[in-house]
């Protein structure tokens, strides 16, 4: 497997409240994580970095013993829950961080599958045979309007309340994250990203970039394109390419 990632402040924001982590794991496995913080410049940065720190520590210290085959959902949900409680308690202790939170989309790749756990509107996509498929379901007010048929997908793209999310780490002691899984094939590319990418680069353009760009150049290429399209938010792109399936 190949990994490549980058984050960028964009062209409008003063601070980058996104963060990401990734790494290889024993047994030809890998993990990826993207967080998009909220709650003011300091709060957003603190929330996303803290969540990434906690989840990274879960993989470093607990993966080998607590993520046996069949336990992927439990492990990922507990990892996000640990990060949620850490951020929530930190916000309670420090008045300047009150109300902070962060999205999270976390992927574990092993055994020919991707296991995903997420909260918020940071997304995971699967690129295969020239087409990009969204694997995660946004936890947002606008997505709820789409789901119940109030607005169309096209109307959602430019809805004025698009930034309102309905789930995040750190805003409540409880967390109901969402888990999903999908099979992988040789040559697949997994893309995890913050909404700074998807709000700035249409799906057709993302597909074209993934089709034509060299793998290790893709994070730079995706972020540069988002900035050329206005760069209205922080932008994070994290990618994994499946070299073989075991």
């Amino acid at each position: 497997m190949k990994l490549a990632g980058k984050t960028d402040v964009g062209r409008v924001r003063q601070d980058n409240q996104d963060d990401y982590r990734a790494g290889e794991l024993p047994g030809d496995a890998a993990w990826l994580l993207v967080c998009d913080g909220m709650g003011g410049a300091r709060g957003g940065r603190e929330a996303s970095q803290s969540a990434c720190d906690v989840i990274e520590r879960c993989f470093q210290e607990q993966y080998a013993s607590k993520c046996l085959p069949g336990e992927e959902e439990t492990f990922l949900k507990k990892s996000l829950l640990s990060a949620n409680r850490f951020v929530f308690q930190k916000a309670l202790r420090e008045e300047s961080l009150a109300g902070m939170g962060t999205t999270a989309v976390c992927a574990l790749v092993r055994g020919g599958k991707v296991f995903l756990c997420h909260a918020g509107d940071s997304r995971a996509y699967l690129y295969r045979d020239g087409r990009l498929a969204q694997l995660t379901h946004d936890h947002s007010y606008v997505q709820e309007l789409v789901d119940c048929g109030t607005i169309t997908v096209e109307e959602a793209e430019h809805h004025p309340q698009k930034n309102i999310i309905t789930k995040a780490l750190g805003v409540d002691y409880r967390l109901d994250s969402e888990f999903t899984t999908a099979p992988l094939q040789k040559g697949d590319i997994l893309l995890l990203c913050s909404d700074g990418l998807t709000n700035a680069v249409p799906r057709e353009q993302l597909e074209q970039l993934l089709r034509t760009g060299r793998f290790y150049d893709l994070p730079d290429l995706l972020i540069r394109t988002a900035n050329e399209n206005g760069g209205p938010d922080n932008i994070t792109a994290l990618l994994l390419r499946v070299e073989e399936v075991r």
Side-chain angles (χ1 to χ4, degrees):
M1 285 180 280
K2 295 179 179 178
L3 290 164
K6 185 177 181 179
T7 187
D8 186 81
V9 69
R11 297 183 60 185
V12 175
R13 308 277 181 162
Q14 297 298 311
D15 303 281
N16 192 349
Q17 299 177 42
D18 285 4
D19 202 355
Y20 74 95
R21 308 288 166 87
E24 296 182 356
L25 295 164
D28 197 34
W31 70 281
L32 304 86
L33 171 67
V34 168
C35 290
D36 178 357
M38 59 190 187
R42 181 172 173 237
R45 280 199 312 275
E46 194 71 40
S48 62
Q49 291 174 5
S50 294
C52 282
D53 287 344
V54 172
I55 294 170
E56 182 173 32
R57 197 155 55 243
C58 289
F59 275 97
Q60 291 174 341
E61 299 176 358
Q62 301 174 20
Y63 172 78
S65 60
K66 296 188 177 180
C67 193
L68 301 175
E71 296 178 347
E72 294 88 358
E73 180 174 1
T74 299
F75 176 80
L76 289 174
K77 285 191 169 184
K78 283 185 175 179
S79 297
L80 263 66
L81 183 60
S82 294
N84 175 75
R85 289 177 174 171
F86 183 91
V87 174
F88 180 74
Q89 289 169 346
K90 193 166 190 174
L92 286 180
R93 289 195 306 268
E94 298 187 42
E95 187 177 343
S96 63
L97 300 177
M100 71 174 178
T102 182
T103 69
V105 54
C106 185
L108 168 62
V109 175
R110 71 179 188 187
K113 292 182 179 180
V114 56
F115 304 91
L116 287 158
C117 193
H118 80 290
D121 61 356
S122 294
R123 294 177 178 176
Y125 290 90
L126 179 64
Y127 177 77
R128 176 185 294 165
D129 298 330
R131 302 299 299 272
L132 196 63
Q134 186 175 334
L135 300 179
T136 52
H137 190 76
D138 288 355
H139 302 138
S140 69
Y141 172 66
V142 166
Q143 184 62 55
E144 289 181 356
L145 294 179
V146 172
D147 291 343
C148 67
T150 304
I151 63 173
T152 65
V153 173
E154 291 73 25
E155 289 170 333
E157 291 299 319
H158 307 286
H159 197 281
Q161 294 172 300
K162 191 173 182 180
N163 63 330
I164 299 175
I165 60 174
T166 54
K167 289 184 184 180
L169 275 63
V171 298
D172 191 295
Y173 192 70
R174 299 157 296 182
L175 177 70
D176 181 22
S177 57
E178 185 173 347
F179 176 82
T180 188
T181 185
L184 296 175
Q185 300 176 7
K186 183 179 179 179
D188 285 351
I189 292 178
L190 189 66
L191 167 65
L192 271 62
C193 60
S194 61
D195 64 347
L197 178 68
T198 51
N199 286 344
V201 186
R203 183 184 298 238
E204 296 78 12
Q205 194 172 16
L206 285 174
E207 289 175 342
Q208 180 186 8
L209 295 169
L210 292 167
R211 191 180 305 121
T212 57
R214 296 181 180 179
F215 178 77
Y216 287 115
D217 295 334
L218 286 174
D220 280 319
L221 188 59
L222 294 172
I223 286 173
R224 184 167 68 247
T225 303
N227 279 323
E228 288 171 354
N229 291 355
D233 201 353
N234 306 147
I235 314 153
T236 300
L238 178 58
L239 301 102
L240 176 145
R241 179 181 169 88
V242 180
E243 295 298 292
E244 57 182 303
V245 177
R246 294 180 181 179

